[in-house]
């Protein structure tokens, strides 16, 4: 199941705690690879421990135990695609670069190695809303709607969160995701918390779920319920899953705060 992003996200939604645990141990990797590494270790009954390549463990004075199977993570590769037809319909060869992902079996857990003692600190997540909004070019404005069912909204590159939203941080993630995902480029996006929405809502709430999970903030159960109610038994589209991971990574990186006093504000 690990050759696709959609099944990976589905498993993360069904297993509380795996996202935050994966971030703490594998924070140097992308969110998708963090979860992928955690699931593979879980399947092999191995603890959540540091991972590195064969050569990196050798540099650290450790060697991979004979017979151990490598963990696979997604690696980006750039390929050249050739198009034989131009925009005007004439036969003309053009080429463009595409970034694809493939699974590469290159990593081993600490528990798959032996040698010199090695300890790596677990990373505590740090994130600042003001820093993230500024970095992403998004402004948060006062909430102006009178509808009590609306938790928040996004308009172009502006967002607003209702002062009576049950989980304002989750709503802010959701609305930021709408902007980062490009949902607001052609129109406004208003969110009614009790009404199932389009695939845009699933994508935005998927981002909110991942970020709340990484930062160990409340609202994750509500996110799962919201996503599942809209999907209504359907399978999450693979392209949407890829977009969810990508947008989550952008928002998380944008909000990394240097000053711990301002974290999670």
């Amino acid at each position: 199941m690990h050759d696709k992003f959609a099944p990976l996200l589905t498993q993360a939604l069904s297993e509380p705690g795996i996202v935050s645990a994966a971030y703490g141990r594998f924070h140097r990797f992308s969110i998708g690879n963090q979860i992928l590494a955690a699931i593979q270790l879980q399947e092999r009954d191995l603890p959540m421990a540091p991972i590195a390549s064969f050569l990196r463990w050798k540099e650290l004075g450790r060697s991979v135990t004979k017979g151990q199977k490598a963990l696979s993570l997604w690696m980006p590769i750039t390929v050249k695609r050739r198009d034989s037809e131009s925009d005007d319909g004439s036969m003309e060869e053009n080429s463009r670069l595409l970034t694809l992902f493939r699974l590469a079996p290159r990593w081993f857990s600490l528990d798959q190695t032996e040698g010199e003692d090695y300890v790596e600190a677990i990373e505590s997540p740090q994130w600042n809303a003001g820093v993230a909004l500024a970095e992403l070019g998004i402004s948060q404005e006062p909430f102006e709607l009178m509808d009590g069912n609306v938790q928040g909204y996004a308009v172009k590159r502006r967002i607003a969160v209702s002062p009576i939203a049950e989980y304002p941080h989750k709503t802010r993630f959701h609305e930021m995701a709408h902007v980062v995902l490009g949902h607001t480029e052609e129109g406004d996006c208003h969110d009614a918390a009790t009404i199932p929405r389009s695939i845009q809502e699933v994508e935005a709430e998927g981002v909110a779920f991942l970020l709340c999970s990484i930062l160990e903030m409340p609202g994750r159960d509500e996110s799962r319920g919201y996503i599942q109610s809209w999907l209504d038994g359907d399978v999450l589209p693979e392209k949407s899953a890829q977009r969810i991971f990508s947008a989550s990574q952008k928002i998380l990186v944008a909000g990394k705060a240097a000053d711990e006093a301002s974290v999670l504000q």
Side-chain angles (χ1 to χ4, degrees):
M1 69 171 286
H2 303 313
D3 60 342
K4 299 291 184 181
F5 284 81
L8 186 66
L9 182 59
T10 299
Q11 186 161 347
L13 285 165
S14 64
E15 296 187 26
I18 194 171
V19 179
S20 59
Y23 176 85
R25 180 53 75 189
F26 311 123
H27 56 90
R28 292 188 181 90
F29 297 88
S30 69
I31 295 175
N33 275 333
Q34 291 167 20
I35 300 172
L36 181 56
I39 290 175
Q40 289 177 85
L41 291 176
Q42 184 183 71
E43 291 175 343
R44 301 183 193 187
D45 294 322
L46 291 172
M48 201 82 74
I51 62 174
S53 67
F54 182 94
L55 292 178
R56 179 56 179 159
W57 281 127
K58 188 175 180 179
E59 292 173 357
L60 294 169
R62 298 184 67 86
S63 58
V64 175
T65 306
K66 186 176 180 179
Q68 292 293 328
K69 183 180 179 181
L71 304 172
S72 295
L73 300 182
W74 280 301
M75 295 288 291
I77 57 172
T78 301
V79 298
K80 180 179 290 187
R81 178 176 177 178
R82 295 189 175 184
D83 301 313
S84 59
E85 185 174 330
S86 63
D87 292 338
D88 61 6
S90 61
M91 297 302 293
E92 179 180 327
E93 187 172 290
N94 298 304
S95 63
R96 53 177 172 155
L97 298 179
L98 297 176
T99 299
L100 304 176
F101 289 87
R102 65 178 179 86
L103 283 172
R106 298 182 183 176
W107 288 266
F108 296 88
S109 164
L110 173 66
D111 294 273
Q112 295 177 290
T113 66
E114 54 191 6
E116 297 181 12
D117 290 342
Y118 178 77
V119 177
E120 182 178 89
I122 295 177
E123 176 81 359
S124 297
Q126 298 182 359
W127 191 85
N128 179 276
V131 171
L133 289 166
E135 184 70 19
L136 295 169
I138 302 172
S139 60
Q140 183 167 340
E141 59 186 26
F143 188 82
E144 297 181 346
L145 295 182
M146 300 298 292
D147 188 345
N149 290 323
V150 177
Q151 302 283 293
Y153 57 83
V155 181
K156 296 183 180 179
R157 300 201 70 81
R158 309 189 312 275
I159 67 168
V161 178
S162 170
I164 61 172
E166 184 175 9
Y167 300 108
H169 56 275
K170 183 174 77 69
T171 300
R172 181 167 54 203
F173 287 145
H174 182 105
E175 303 307 338
M176 291 175 70
H178 275 310
V179 176
V180 172
L181 288 161
H183 295 165
T184 60
E185 291 181 356
E186 296 182 0
D188 301 347
C189 188
H190 295 254
D191 303 316
T194 59
I195 303 175
R197 309 291 291 184
S198 67
I199 195 63
Q200 293 182 352
E201 292 301 309
V202 175
E203 291 182 353
E205 195 65 18
V207 172
F209 169 80
L210 287 177
L211 293 176
C212 284
S213 297
I214 288 171
L215 300 172
E216 298 187 300
M217 302 174 80
R220 286 164 280 179
D221 289 341
E222 289 76 7
S223 280
R224 281 195 295 268
Y226 185 81
I227 292 169
Q228 291 165 359
S229 68
W230 188 90
L231 287 175
D232 194 25
D234 290 339
V235 177
L236 179 72
E238 171 63 18
K239 186 175 181 179
S240 290
Q242 293 179 18
R243 286 162 52 79
I244 288 169
F245 280 117
S246 177
S248 299
Q249 187 74 26
K250 288 179 182 178
I251 295 174
L252 181 66
V253 171
K256 287 294 184 68
D259 181 3
E260 292 187 9
S262 62
V263 168
L264 300 181
Q265 293 181 356

